[in-house]
């Protein structure tokens, strides 16, 4: 909550702010909630001065007025999806990664999330003017893997160089660094031309150190990060893809244990990042590795995965497609 300070108006002197604080009025919101006559009595300011302070606060903190016709025309002309170059996944997503929203790619360890992320990067920059910002939090970004994917697509060395130039790699090790980067993107002190999407691989790596902390600093960082994400998505017309991990928990069935029956176990799979994050992404893509007796058209190092949309406001849920993952990419 925004604290009330002398910067909000010249009439809000230290003595006035101290008087208001003594009466439990410390924030801008609390000040605006109070009756103007009551504030006048407490602060010894006349009614016109109180109203002038309130109008100044409204002007400073309110959102600017926007014409409805402008919003309608902008909505009709702006790009809604980022084509990710995998037709079956584009269909499942209703067109691709949504512009203006946070998307989560989630799955168990070893399910192919990072390789799919690399494939999306390649597909988004190849034969387009798009630039992708890839934020590596694990220190395992491998340009050789990108080159293999490009080579498999039949790209020449010159085409590979052009594609790699449009992939901006940043290694981030803490939430503080991530927030600082997003702050610079917001105020344009860091400018990336033709930025279409930001991919973070992976967000839990930055948050695990804050899980279970008593001072809730991790939740504070997450809240700031989400607000910056939403601002960049809406104001820069980009998509943000956060790679998350699932955890697997095996619990003993207590009822069977009490009844003396054979012990049975229930497996639960949960998305990481806590309760706050659970409702943040507008779209969630769940990746599950399939165990098939006879995989079809798969290299020795490859496997099949099922990609399912488990959350979306615009398309039917539980739609899925089968993808093949190997060292040459995802298709």
């Amino acid at each position: 909550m925004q604290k009330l300070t002398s910067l909000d108006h010249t009439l809000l002197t230290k003595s006035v702010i101290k008087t208001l604080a003594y009466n439990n009025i410390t924030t801008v919101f609390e000040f605006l909630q109070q009756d103007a006559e009551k504030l006048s009595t407490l602060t010894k300011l006349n009614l016109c001065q109180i109203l002038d302070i309130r109008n100044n606060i409204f002007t400073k903190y309110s959102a600017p007025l926007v014409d409805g016709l402008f919003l309608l025309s902008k909505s009709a002309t702006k790009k809604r999806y980022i084509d990710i170059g995998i037709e079956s996944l584009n269909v499942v997503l209703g067109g691709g990664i949504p512009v203006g929203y946070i998307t989560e790619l989630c799955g168990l360890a070893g399910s192919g999330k990072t390789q799919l992320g690399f494939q999306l990067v390649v597909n988004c920059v190849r034969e387009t003017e798009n630039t992708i910002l890839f934020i590596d939090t694990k220190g395992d970004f491998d340009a050789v893997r990108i080159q293999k994917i490009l080579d498999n697509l039949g790209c020449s060395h010159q085409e590979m160089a052009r594609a790699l130039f449009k992939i901006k790699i940043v290694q981030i090790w803490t939430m503080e660094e991530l927030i600082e980067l997003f702050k610079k993107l917001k105020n344009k002190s860091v400018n990336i031309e033709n930025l279409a999407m930001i991919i973070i691989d992976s967000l839990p790596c930055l948050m695990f150190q804050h899980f279970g902390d008593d001072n809730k600093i991790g939740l504070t960082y997450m809240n700031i990060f989400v607000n910056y994400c939403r601002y960049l998505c809406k104001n820069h017309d980009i998509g943000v893809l956060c790679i998350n991990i699932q955890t697997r928990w095996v619990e003993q069935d207590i009822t069977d244990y009490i009844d003396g029956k054979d012990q049975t176990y229930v497996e639960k799979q949960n998305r990481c990042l806590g309760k706050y994050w659970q409702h943040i992404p507008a779209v969630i893509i769940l990746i599950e590795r399939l165990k098939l007796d006879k995989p079809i058209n798969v290299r020795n190092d490859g496997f099949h995965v099922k990609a399912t949309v488990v959350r979306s406001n615009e398309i039917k849920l539980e739609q899925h497609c089968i993808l093949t993952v190997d060292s040459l990419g995802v298709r």
Side-chain angles (χ1 to χ4, degrees):
M1 195 70 70
Q2 182 66 40
K3 291 288 185 181
L4 196 65
T5 69
S6 57
L7 297 176
D8 293 316
H9 201 283
T10 54
L11 291 172
L12 291 172
T13 61
K14 288 184 178 180
S15 60
V16 170
I17 291 175
K18 186 176 180 180
T19 301
L20 291 172
Y22 183 78
N23 289 274
N24 297 319
I25 304 171
T26 59
T27 67
V28 169
F29 181 70
E30 290 167 347
F31 182 86
L32 295 175
Q33 276 191 316
Q34 299 298 321
D35 180 72
E37 292 184 357
K38 178 183 176 181
L39 291 172
S40 179
T41 303
L42 291 173
T43 60
K44 308 304 181 185
L45 298 173
N46 62 50
L47 195 57
C48 290
Q49 290 174 320
I50 294 296
L51 293 177
D52 186 53
I53 295 172
R54 292 180 63 159
N55 289 334
N56 192 70
I57 289 175
F58 279 127
T59 302
K60 182 177 180 180
Y61 292 102
S62 297
L65 293 175
V66 181
D67 183 79
L69 289 175
F70 170 77
L71 287 177
L72 181 62
S73 61
K74 184 179 179 181
S75 176
T77 56
K78 78 172 186 177
K79 188 176 180 180
R80 296 186 62 200
Y81 296 99
I82 302 166
D83 184 355
I84 55 178
I86 303 175
E87 185 177 353
S88 58
L89 191 53
N90 269 337
V91 171
V92 167
L93 291 169
I97 299 296
V99 172
Y101 298 97
I102 300 171
T103 299
E104 177 185 311
L105 178 62
C106 186
L108 293 170
S111 59
K113 301 183 298 298
T114 295
Q115 188 71 347
L116 178 54
F118 287 165
Q119 186 70 60
L120 298 187
V121 167
V122 169
N123 292 350
C124 288
V125 300
R126 182 171 168 262
E127 298 180 352
T128 72
E129 296 301 316
N130 292 337
T131 300
I132 302 297
L133 174 59
F134 192 97
I135 299 175
D136 175 21
T137 68
K138 302 182 294 182
D140 64 352
F141 181 86
D142 190 351
V144 174
R145 291 170 70 177
I146 298 289
Q147 288 178 321
K148 283 185 177 181
I149 295 172
L150 287 165
D151 185 57
N152 186 54
L153 293 171
C155 295
S156 65
H157 290 293
Q158 189 175 18
E159 289 171 331
M160 286 185 191
R162 281 200 298 265
L164 289 169
F165 181 77
K166 291 183 285 187
I167 304 171
K168 308 302 181 183
I169 313 299
V170 178
Q171 288 190 323
I172 295 290
W173 308 113
T174 66
M175 283 299 293
E176 294 96 323
E177 291 179 2
L178 181 63
I179 290 169
E180 184 62 25
L181 173 62
F182 275 55
K183 182 179 179 181
K184 290 179 179 178
L185 290 170
K186 178 180 180 290
N187 61 29
K188 298 182 180 179
S189 60
V190 171
N191 185 38
I192 301 176
E193 291 186 7
N194 301 318
L195 181 63
M197 182 163 59
I198 299 174
I199 297 179
I200 304 172
D201 183 22
S202 69
L203 196 54
C205 288
L206 304 180
M207 284 299 298
F208 278 149
Q209 60 186 303
H210 299 294
F211 284 176
D213 58 1
D214 295 329
N215 59 5
K216 306 298 181 184
I217 192 170
L219 183 60
T220 301
Y221 285 149
M222 179 65 77
N223 186 46
I224 296 171
F225 162 74
V226 168
N227 287 332
Y228 274 128
C229 272
R230 287 172 171 167
Y231 177 89
L232 292 173
C233 284
K234 295 295 183 183
N235 291 276
H236 294 253
D237 290 331
I238 65 171
V240 173
L241 178 67
C242 297
I243 296 180
N244 195 3
I245 193 169
Q246 270 188 314
T247 56
R248 179 185 285 139
W249 300 86
V250 179
E251 297 181 356
Q252 183 178 331
D253 192 325
I254 297 176
T255 55
D256 287 350
Y257 182 77
I258 294 174
D259 294 340
K261 301 177 182 178
D262 293 337
Q263 295 182 8
T264 59
Y265 297 89
V266 178
E267 181 180 292
K268 293 184 178 181
Q269 296 179 1
N270 300 320
R271 292 162 50 220
C272 286
L273 297 176
K275 292 182 179 179
Y276 174 81
W277 175 260
Q278 298 305 301
H279 304 287
I280 295 299
V283 176
I284 299 175
I285 309 165
L286 177 63
I287 303 295
E288 300 174 276
R289 186 166 178 167
L290 300 178
K291 296 180 180 179
L292 302 178
D293 294 333
K294 296 181 179 179
I296 303 171
N297 298 325
V298 177
R299 290 165 47 88
N300 292 335
D301 61 349
F303 52 90
H304 291 303
V305 298
K306 181 171 78 170
T308 308
V309 177
V310 296
R311 176 182 297 164
S312 174
N313 294 329
E314 297 189 5
I315 59 177
K316 184 179 178 181
L317 299 184
E318 301 304 325
Q319 293 191 78
H320 69 271
C321 62
I322 306 299
L323 304 174
T324 301
V325 181
D326 57 36
S327 60
L328 300 181
V330 180
R331 54 201 175 276

